[in-house]
Every structure is written in structure tokens, then in C-alpha cells.
Amino acid sequence: MKILLAFNGSKLSEAALHAVIAQRRPENTKVKVLKVIPLDVTDEEVRQAQASLDLTAQALRIAGFKTESTVLRDIVLESIVGVAREWDADLIVLCWHGRTTMKRFLFGSVATRVIHAATCSVELVRFRPYRCASEA
């Protein structure tokens, strides 16, 4: 199985990381960790993003997964869906804010757009602080 983990370093994306580790078997599973950053960031910000992803990939390797990580300067939606398609991912895992319908309408939702554009399955992970704290 090939899993694309969309990761931005937030508590929400950490919940998605923990979901992958807890719910999937590492045998024969490859995880690509992807972080998409704006086009106008500095080289230092790219290095910091890669360092963050390296730690995430290390956590997955410790759990037994084969991993790789990629930082892209691009538009989030197109990058997530495009990388999943190019890499032939079986599953995209990303965090979900759980916003109300009105907030999704006003501000948009990357998760909703990924669901509609992806050619593979998509798993949305909702951050629940009380669960994460009790599992730590």
C-alpha cells in the first residue's frame, strides 16, 4: 500500500501522522510525507520545512514504515492531488478542521477539494485534543 500523508506541522497533521501509525500495518506499506509551502518562501524556510518532515519520516521509520519526504513550493490542492496521482498512491491521509458548513463555504476547505479531485481514497483525520493527550 502507498500512503500520501499531507503534513503541515500543525497539531492537526500530527493527529494524521498518529492515525497512520496506529491504523496501518507497516509491512509492505510506503508512506510519502508531503509538505506544500507557498511559492514566495525563503530557502531557509524550505530547509526548516524539510527538517520538520525529516522528523516525521523518522517517526514513521521507527514504527516500521518505508518512508520518503517531499517539500514542494506550490499550490496546496494541486500538489496533494498531483503527487498522489504521479506516485500512484492508494490513499491520501490529511487532517480536517471540522469547520461548520458556513465556514467551509466562506473560507474553503483543502480537505473537501482533495476529496473531490483525488483519484484514490482519502482519509480525513480530525484532531481531538482530549484523545491525543490521553494517548500520549
Side-chain angles (χ1 to χ4, degrees):
M1 173 175 244
K2 293 170 85 173
I3 300 171
L4 177 65
L5 173 60
F7 192 84
N8 66 9
S10 69
K11 291 283 185 195
L12 292 166
S13 60
E14 287 180 19
L17 166 65
H18 292 295
V20 169
I21 291 171
Q23 297 173 3
R24 306 285 180 246
R25 301 207 187 284
E27 304 85 33
N28 301 317
T29 300
K30 297 177 185 174
V31 181
K32 179 180 277 204
V33 186
L34 174 66
K35 182 169 187 169
V36 184
I37 56 178
L39 295 166
D40 61 347
V41 298
T42 65
D43 289 341
E44 180 57 30
E45 289 171 306
V46 173
R47 281 191 289 279
Q48 290 173 359
Q50 187 61 58
S52 165
L53 285 192
D54 290 344
L55 291 173
T56 303
Q58 182 180 7
L60 287 160
R61 279 192 291 278
I62 289 169
F65 293 92
K66 296 175 185 141
T67 65
E68 61 183 88
S69 60
T70 303
V71 175
L72 288 179
R73 287 181 178 174
D74 206 348
I75 300 167
V76 175
L77 173 64
E78 286 84 356
S79 294
I80 293 171
V81 173
V83 168
R85 192 173 290 130
E86 282 178 25
W87 192 55
D88 197 28
D90 299 301
L91 177 67
I92 299 170
V93 177
L94 67 157
C95 57
W96 180 55
H97 291 269
R99 292 185 178 126
T100 64
T101 303
M102 181 56 88
K103 285 183 182 176
R104 277 195 311 272
F105 175 75
L106 292 173
F107 303 113
S109 167
V110 169
T112 300
R113 293 184 311 209
V114 168
I115 288 169
H116 292 289
T119 57
C120 64
S121 297
V122 178
E123 179 180 341
L124 299 180
V125 177
R126 188 171 185 176
F127 176 64
R128 296 196 171 140
Y130 60 90
R131 284 193 180 176
C132 293
S134 67
E135 293 171 0

